[in-house]
């Protein structure tokens, strides 16, 4: 048993010793392999470094060659610039020499001219300024007559051409525009169905008519016209409300203060709707868009206003259509022109509420509601107190005169017509040198006969312009007035 244990122990020791030897052998072999790999890596690294150095040397050589070329080019350019600078210096020196010579020549010429002028003044016995004045007077005397003829010819040619072209444009626009000739009038009277209705409208102790006047703000005159009730108010919209309320009350038959209040409220809504509809119809008829709602309502109110018997809304609509055609012909802004023309009299809708001239009020309203400044200017300048500075404003002014002056557009009494003729002649005769003045062609022309010994040809041209300017600034008239100044010189001699 003991021998067996010893033998096992001996065998185990031998195995351990063999295992230790094997591991030592593997370690030695691995170390050698690592050393060989390191040697190979060093060899490869050396090769890579050598190749990189070779490449760097090649690149450096190429760059040095390029730098050398660049230096050579810069050196050539520097030499060229130096040569040019030297050439410029030589030219500058020559120019300075020439300038000195020119200055010397100028001084010599100035001295010669001064000596010649002194000799001429001594010979003529006149100073330079006196001689120039005398020469100017002689020239002016010689060419005055020719200048008057030339000015007159040019003025007549320009007026003929402008008048012919303007007539063609206006006639073409009017031919394309078809409008009513007679104008509407605002209805201010309501016909009664019978005499009993008059008493019902007045009511017990006048309660009904007082309630109606209080609600509408209109004076109601019952006894002035038989079978009619006359409505009187400065506000045309109120008159329409009162007229519609009366018609509704007479048709319904129930007339008492409570019913009157209800009917007037209903009539106001209906008139407001009619006003809005009238503005929209006018805008649609003229083909314009972009008008503010507030301005559109004021435009609709013009349906109930008249000026010299001419319905203002119809007048504005007619003008807008004619103005659009004229603007298209002359190259103006058609949209601006049509909107300004349509709204040019919108201030008349509030003249009973706001003090001032209607064109100034209309311009302020347009400016208040943010409209284009060109539209504002055209509205404000369609009368003569403000100068029209844009083509659109001039078109509005021309169309306003054309629409108001066409036959049947306005109702003017004989007394007003005769007064306007007298005023026109008085304006003409207020100038000095006038012999006679006659207003003819229904006030479209004033013929002024001057005294030939007081007014020459040039003064006659100026006189015509002065008379026209005074007429524009002092009179109100439709259309245009032709000022015709006539100067006649009669030479009379007797043969004996």
């Amino acid at each position: 048993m003991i021998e067996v244990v010893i033998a096992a122990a001996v065998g185990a020791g031998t195995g351990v010793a063999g295992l230790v030897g094997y591991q030592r052998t593997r370690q030695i072999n691995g170390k050698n392999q690592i050393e060989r790999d390191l040697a190979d890596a060093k060899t490869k690294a050396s090769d890579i470094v050598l190749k990189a150095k070779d490449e760097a040397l090649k690149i450096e050589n190429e760059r040095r060659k390029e730098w050398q070329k660049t230096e050579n080019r810069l050196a050539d350019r520097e030499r060229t610039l130096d040569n040019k600078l030297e050439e410029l210096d030589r030219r500058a020196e020559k120019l300075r020499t020439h300038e000195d010579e020119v200055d010397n020549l100028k001084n010599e010429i100035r001295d010669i001219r001064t000596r010649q002028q002194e000799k001429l003044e001594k010979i003529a016995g006149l100073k330079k300024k006196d001689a120039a004045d005398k020469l100017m007077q002689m020239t002016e005397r010689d060419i005055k007559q020719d200048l008057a003829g030339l000015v007159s010819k040019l003025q007549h040619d320009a007026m003929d051409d402008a008048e012919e072209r303007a007539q063609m444009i206006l006639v073409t626009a009017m031919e394309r525009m078809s409008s009513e000739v007679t104008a509407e009038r605002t209805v201010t009277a309501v016909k009664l169905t019978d005499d009993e209705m008059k008493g019902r409208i007045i009511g017990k102790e006048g309660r009904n008519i007082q309630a109606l006047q209080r609600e509408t703000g209109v004076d109601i005159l019952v006894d002035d016209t038989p079978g009619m009730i006359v409505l009187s108010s400065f506000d045309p919209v109120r008159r329409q409300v009162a007229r519609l309320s009366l018609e509704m009350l007479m048709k319904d038959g129930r007339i008492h203060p409570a019913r009157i209040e209800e009917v007037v409220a209903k009539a106001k809504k209906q008139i407001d709707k009619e006003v809005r509809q009238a503005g929209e119809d006018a805008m649609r008829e003229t083909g314009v868009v972009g008008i503010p709602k507030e301005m559109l309502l004021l435009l609709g109110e013009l349906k109930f206003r008249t000026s010299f018997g001419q319905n203002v809304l119809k007048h504005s609509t007619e003008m807008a259509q004619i103005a659009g055609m004229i603007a298209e012909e002359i190259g103006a802004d058609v949209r601006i022109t049509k909107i300004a023309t349509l709204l040019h009299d919108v201030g008349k809708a509030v003249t009973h509420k706001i003090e001032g001239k209607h064109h100034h009020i209309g311009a302020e309203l347009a400016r208040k509601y943010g409209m284009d400044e060109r539209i504002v200017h055209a509205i404000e300048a369609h009368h003569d107190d403000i100068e029209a500075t844009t083509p659109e404003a001039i078109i509005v002014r021309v169309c306003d005169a054309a629409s108001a002056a066409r036959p049947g557009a306005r109702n003017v009494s004989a007394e007003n017509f005769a007064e306007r003729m007298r005023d026109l002649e008085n304006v003409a005769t207020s100038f000095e040198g006038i012999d006679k003045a006659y207003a003819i062609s229904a006030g479209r022309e004033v013929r002024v006969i001057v005294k030939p010994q007081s007014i020459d040809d040039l003064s006659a041209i100026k006189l015509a312009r002065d008379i026209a300017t005074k007429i524009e600034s002092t009179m109100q008239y439709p259309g245009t007035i032709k000022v015709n100044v006539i100067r006649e010189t009669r030479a009379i001699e007797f043969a004996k």
Side-chain angles (χ1 to χ4, degrees):
M1 188 65 178
I2 295 172
E3 289 84 356
V4 174
V5 172
I6 293 172
V10 171
T14 302
V16 170
L19 179 60
V20 172
Y22 173 74
Q23 289 179 347
R24 287 181 178 175
T25 302
R26 285 190 63 186
Q27 290 177 353
I28 292 170
N29 292 335
K31 185 176 180 181
N32 293 333
Q33 184 64 35
I34 291 170
E35 291 177 353
R36 287 195 298 272
D37 292 341
L38 288 173
D40 293 338
K42 289 180 179 180
T43 302
K44 290 180 180 179
S46 299
D47 294 339
I48 292 172
V49 171
L50 291 174
K51 289 181 180 179
K53 289 181 177 181
D54 292 338
E55 292 293 331
L57 288 173
K58 290 180 180 179
I59 293 171
E60 187 176 358
N61 291 332
E62 291 177 358
R63 288 182 177 176
R64 285 180 179 176
K65 291 178 181 179
E66 292 177 357
W67 291 341
Q68 187 63 40
K69 291 179 181 179
T70 303
E71 288 179 356
N72 294 334
R73 285 197 299 271
L74 291 175
D76 293 338
R77 289 183 181 181
E78 187 176 357
R79 285 192 295 273
T80 303
L81 288 174
D82 291 339
N83 294 333
K84 289 183 178 180
L85 288 174
E86 292 176 358
E87 181 67 22
L88 288 174
D89 291 339
R90 288 193 295 271
R91 290 185 179 182
E93 186 64 28
K94 289 182 180 179
L95 286 174
R96 282 193 292 272
T97 303
H98 291 325
E99 286 177 357
D100 294 337
E101 294 176 355
V102 169
D103 290 337
N104 294 331
L105 288 174
K106 284 182 179 180
N107 293 329
E108 292 179 5
I109 293 171
R110 193 177 293 109
D111 294 339
I112 293 171
R113 186 170 60 185
T114 303
R115 289 195 297 271
Q116 288 178 345
Q117 181 177 333
E118 291 175 353
K119 289 181 180 179
L120 288 174
E121 289 177 354
K122 185 176 181 181
I123 293 171
L126 291 173
K127 295 294 184 182
K128 179 181 178 181
K129 186 177 183 303
D130 297 335
D133 293 339
K134 188 172 183 179
L135 181 62
M136 184 62 69
Q137 292 173 2
M138 293 172 59
T139 304
E140 183 179 356
R141 185 175 61 252
D142 292 340
I143 69 171
K144 186 175 183 179
Q145 193 68 26
D146 296 336
L147 181 61
L150 179 61
V151 169
S152 179
K153 182 178 181 300
L154 292 175
Q155 189 176 27
H156 286 310
D157 291 345
M159 290 177 64
D160 291 341
D161 293 342
E163 184 175 359
E164 183 178 358
R165 175 163 173 76
Q167 287 176 351
M168 287 298 298
I169 293 174
L170 284 173
V171 169
T172 302
M174 290 179 179
E175 286 177 350
R176 292 168 59 188
M177 166 61 191
S178 177
S179 178
E180 297 180 10
V181 176
T182 57
E184 288 186 354
R185 287 183 174 272
T186 304
V187 178
T188 57
V190 179
K191 186 176 181 180
L192 294 174
T193 56
D194 50 43
D195 291 337
E196 182 185 354
M197 184 58 67
K198 181 183 294 187
R200 296 178 63 185
I201 291 174
I202 295 174
K204 186 177 180 180
E205 297 179 357
R207 287 183 298 178
N208 291 344
I209 195 171
Q210 290 175 6
L212 191 58
Q213 288 179 341
R214 183 173 60 252
E215 292 296 326
T216 60
V218 174
D219 291 333
I220 302 176
L221 308 177
V222 178
D223 296 328
D224 289 356
T225 306
M228 301 289 290
I229 292 180
V230 179
L231 308 177
S232 175
S233 174
F234 60 86
D235 190 338
V237 177
R238 291 182 186 176
R239 288 200 303 267
Q240 291 299 314
V241 171
R243 177 192 63 81
L244 185 58
S245 300
L246 275 174
E247 291 177 353
M248 294 170 66
L249 287 169
M250 288 189 295
K251 184 176 180 181
D252 182 51
R254 295 177 296 166
I255 305 177
H256 53 82
R259 179 62 179 165
I260 288 173
E261 184 177 350
E262 180 183 346
V263 169
V264 170
K266 186 182 297 185
K268 286 180 179 179
K269 291 182 180 179
Q270 187 169 340
I271 292 297
D272 289 342
K273 183 178 180 182
E274 190 175 346
V275 165
R276 189 181 304 107
Q277 186 65 41
E280 293 174 355
D281 290 344
M283 188 171 66
R284 182 168 51 254
E285 183 178 351
T286 54
V288 300
V289 294
I291 297 179
K293 180 181 178 182
E294 296 83 0
M295 297 293 287
L296 194 63
L297 293 176
L298 293 175
L299 178 64
E301 289 188 14
L302 297 180
K303 177 181 179 180
F304 305 114
R305 285 194 65 92
T306 58
S307 178
F308 296 96
Q310 185 180 29
N311 184 272
V312 180
L313 182 59
K314 285 186 174 294
H315 163 66
S316 300
T317 305
E318 176 188 62
M319 277 184 57
Q321 292 172 335
I322 295 176
M325 301 173 194
I326 296 175
E328 188 175 356
E329 287 287 337
I330 68 174
D333 192 312
V334 176
R335 178 180 174 274
I336 295 295
T337 304
K338 293 180 77 171
I339 292 177
T341 310
L342 186 62
L343 299 177
H344 79 287
D345 274 345
V346 75
K348 290 183 178 180
V350 292
T351 50
H352 57 282
K353 302 176 183 177
I354 303 175
E355 293 185 0
K357 296 182 178 180
H358 71 276
H359 50 289
H360 296 308
I361 297 172
E364 288 301 322
L365 289 171
R367 187 178 288 112
K368 175 182 177 181
Y369 295 120
M371 301 196 74
D372 193 300
E373 191 60 32
R374 291 175 293 175
I375 297 175
V376 175
H377 172 68
I379 293 173
E380 194 170 20
H382 81 269
H383 284 303
D384 298 330
D385 55 347
I386 290 181
E387 182 181 1
T389 59
T390 63
E392 293 80 11
I394 294 173
I395 293 173
V396 174
R397 181 179 291 186
V398 169
C399 290
D400 189 28
S403 176
R406 64 177 173 78
R410 292 186 169 186
N411 296 327
V412 181
S413 65
E415 293 80 4
N416 292 336
F417 178 79
E419 184 180 357
R420 185 157 64 89
M421 298 301 100
R422 286 193 297 270
D423 291 342
L424 188 58
E425 293 178 354
N426 291 335
V427 169
T429 55
S430 64
F431 290 85
E432 295 182 359
I434 306 298
D435 186 14
K436 298 175 183 178
Y438 301 103
I440 62 175
S441 300
R444 300 294 181 186
E445 180 181 352
V446 56
R447 289 186 179 176
V448 182
I449 302 173
V450 301
K451 300 175 182 178
Q453 63 273 18
S454 302
I455 304 293
D456 58 14
D457 289 339
L458 283 176
S459 300
I461 296 173
K462 183 177 183 298
L463 178 62
R465 188 178 298 108
D466 293 341
I467 293 175
T469 302
K470 187 171 182 179
I471 291 173
E472 291 174 355
S473 61
T474 60
M475 294 185 62
Q476 293 293 331
Y477 54 90
T480 59
I481 297 176
K482 179 181 179 181
V483 179
N484 190 359
V485 176
I486 301 172
R487 178 179 182 270
E488 181 183 22
T489 301
R490 296 186 181 184
I492 301 173
E493 188 58 58
F494 297 95
K496 299 179 181 178

